[in-house]
Structures are given as structure tokens and as C-alpha cells.
Amino acid sequence: MPDRAPAGRVRWRTALRWLAMGLLGLMLLGGRTLHAAEPEILQAALQRTPEGLFLSARLGLKPSPAVEDALLKGVPLYFVWQAEVVRERWYWTDKRLAQPTRIWRLAYQPLTRRWRLSLSNDPAQATAGTGLQYALHQNFDSLADALASIGRVANWKLVDASRLRDAEDETVRWSFRLDLGLLPRPFQIGMANQPEWVIEVQRRLPVPATVSSPAAPPEAPDERAPDDGSAAR
């Protein structure tokens, strides 16, 4: 009996904490009624080399005021690049050859007034964003610069050449999205049905039939290097 009261108070504090986080998530919606806008595709191309299949793509990202407000209030957001290399089969379901994923975590740092980007290539460890292992960190002076880096992949290797066969029946389905599912659950309350929180685009590209030289990659900007020596590989 003596231990029940403290345990009860702990449960109540936990419940109130989660409720407060949920209310903050609702406040971040700001009551806006904006419409979702698909990011503009500025470039999207595949290159097949003796080493494998590579994707280069560039998007024009313009977040809604609600998304920008959330970032400025200290809520980190997660942006996901994903590609699926498949072989079509008329007699069965398509065969998946590879499904690489990149996850960008974007957070604002009020003390330095800079934007922090962290890159993870291992989505299997993602549990509400807490289990991600980051391979690269970058800092930017402006949100526009950070979004330009998020919305670009250059010569991203999707699959080894040995796994490719006939380009006529192989395609790549690539996508980019703001993944609210990686946020703590209270922040997700009401966001899924709000169009201003929807940032998503997906396309399909045929695998090139010809193999090009790796010395001539498709024209695309290089991945931006960290400006403060903060990379950790």
C-alpha cells in the first residue's frame, strides 16, 4: 500500500507530459488551411555503370508556414529518400532487387541560429527517431541552404551491377517525403490529415539499357561537404 501512491503520481506525471506534448503538436498546426504542394522535380536521372545503378535527383522544396514554424519552435523533422529497384514478372509479383533509404533529420539550433542536418542510411533502427545512427552531420546558416541539401541526391548507388539483368523489365520507383511517423507520437496528433504537413513526391524511371563509363557521371551537384569539419563517418 505505501508504494502505490508514488507510483500513481509517476503515472499521472507521465500522462500529463504526453498530453502537453500532444497539445504542443496541435498548436504547431497553427489553424492554417493551406493545401499540399508536391515538390518540384528539377532533375531526375539514372546512370548504369559497371559498378551499379546510380540515381541523381534534385527537388525544389518550399515548406509551408506550419512546417517552418514547427522547426523554429525546436521540433526536429525527418525527410526520407527511398528507392526501390524492381524486376517486373508477368507470372508473379514484381521482384525487389534493392530498397536503399536515406533519412535526413533537420533541427534548428536557437543558440547558434544555425540549422543542423544529420544523415542516416539505416532506417531499420528508426523508432520514433530515437534509434537512428547518423553517419554525417552538417550545419547551415539558413533554412533554404539546408533544404537545398535535403532535396538533392548525387550519384546515389541503388544496387550493384551484378544484381541487374535485363533493363527492359527493370524499373526504379523513387520517392521523397516528410515522414511524420518518425516523430514522437504526441506530435503526430492531427498532423496526418493536415495538407500543409504533406511533403511527398514519387516517380518511376526505367533502368537504362546501356552501360556508361563511370568517368562520366550524370550532371548533378555534388553532395555538400560539412562547413565546420563536423562529419563523422
Side-chain angles (χ1 to χ4, degrees):
M1 293 297 293
D3 294 335
R4 290 184 180 178
R9 285 197 294 268
V10 170
R11 286 194 295 269
W12 272 106
R13 292 193 193 102
T14 302
L16 290 174
R17 187 181 300 115
W18 283 100
L19 178 60
M21 293 176 67
L23 291 174
L24 176 59
L26 289 173
M27 291 173 59
L28 292 175
L29 296 176
R32 296 180 173 87
T33 58
L34 303 180
H35 297 287
E38 183 179 275
E40 180 183 4
I41 301 176
L42 304 176
Q43 178 202 11
L46 291 174
Q47 184 191 28
R48 185 174 181 176
T49 75
E51 286 73 34
L53 186 65
F54 297 82
L55 172 67
S56 292
R58 187 161 55 93
L59 305 176
L61 300 181
K62 297 179 180 179
S64 67
V67 172
E68 188 169 347
D69 286 349
L71 287 167
L72 291 173
K73 286 181 170 70
V75 179
L77 297 181
Y78 299 84
F79 298 85
V80 179
W81 280 94
Q82 191 169 66
E84 187 178 34
V85 185
V86 299
R87 177 176 299 137
E88 298 176 357
R89 299 184 292 190
W90 63 267
Y91 58 90
W92 200 247
T93 57
D94 296 345
K95 180 179 181 180
R96 180 187 299 167
L97 304 179
Q99 191 178 35
T101 301
R102 283 185 173 184
I103 300 177
W104 283 109
R105 179 185 186 272
L106 176 61
Y108 181 61
Q109 300 174 309
L111 293 179
T112 60
R113 295 185 178 180
R114 305 192 76 191
W115 298 87
R116 179 77 163 180
L117 266 184
S118 302
L119 174 65
S120 173
N121 293 310
D122 190 2
Q125 299 181 358
T127 304
T130 60
L132 292 171
Q133 299 296 317
Y134 298 106
L136 177 70
H137 300 282
Q138 301 170 272
N139 290 313
F140 296 89
D141 292 326
S142 70
L143 176 59
D145 289 342
L147 290 175
S149 185
I150 290 174
R152 179 179 63 240
V153 290
N155 302 320
W156 180 25
K157 187 174 183 179
L158 306 182
V159 65
D160 290 332
S162 60
R163 304 203 63 186
L164 297 174
R165 190 181 62 185
D166 187 356
E168 291 184 0
D169 59 6
E170 293 172 344
T171 60
V172 171
R173 305 165 185 163
W174 66 267
S175 64
F176 174 87
R177 69 183 185 277
L178 168 61
D179 195 337
L180 300 177
L182 292 176
L183 292 173
R185 191 165 298 276
F187 284 107
Q188 301 175 30
I189 298 176
M191 289 183 177
N193 298 321
Q194 297 294 327
E196 63 265 39
W197 285 93
V198 179
I199 301 177
E200 184 173 7
V201 62
Q202 52 186 337
R203 290 292 188 274
R204 180 193 294 258
L205 292 173
V207 173
T210 58
V211 178
S212 59
S213 170
E219 184 177 354
D222 294 332
E223 298 288 354
R224 184 186 294 267
D227 58 2
D228 60 351
S230 58
R233 298 185 183 275

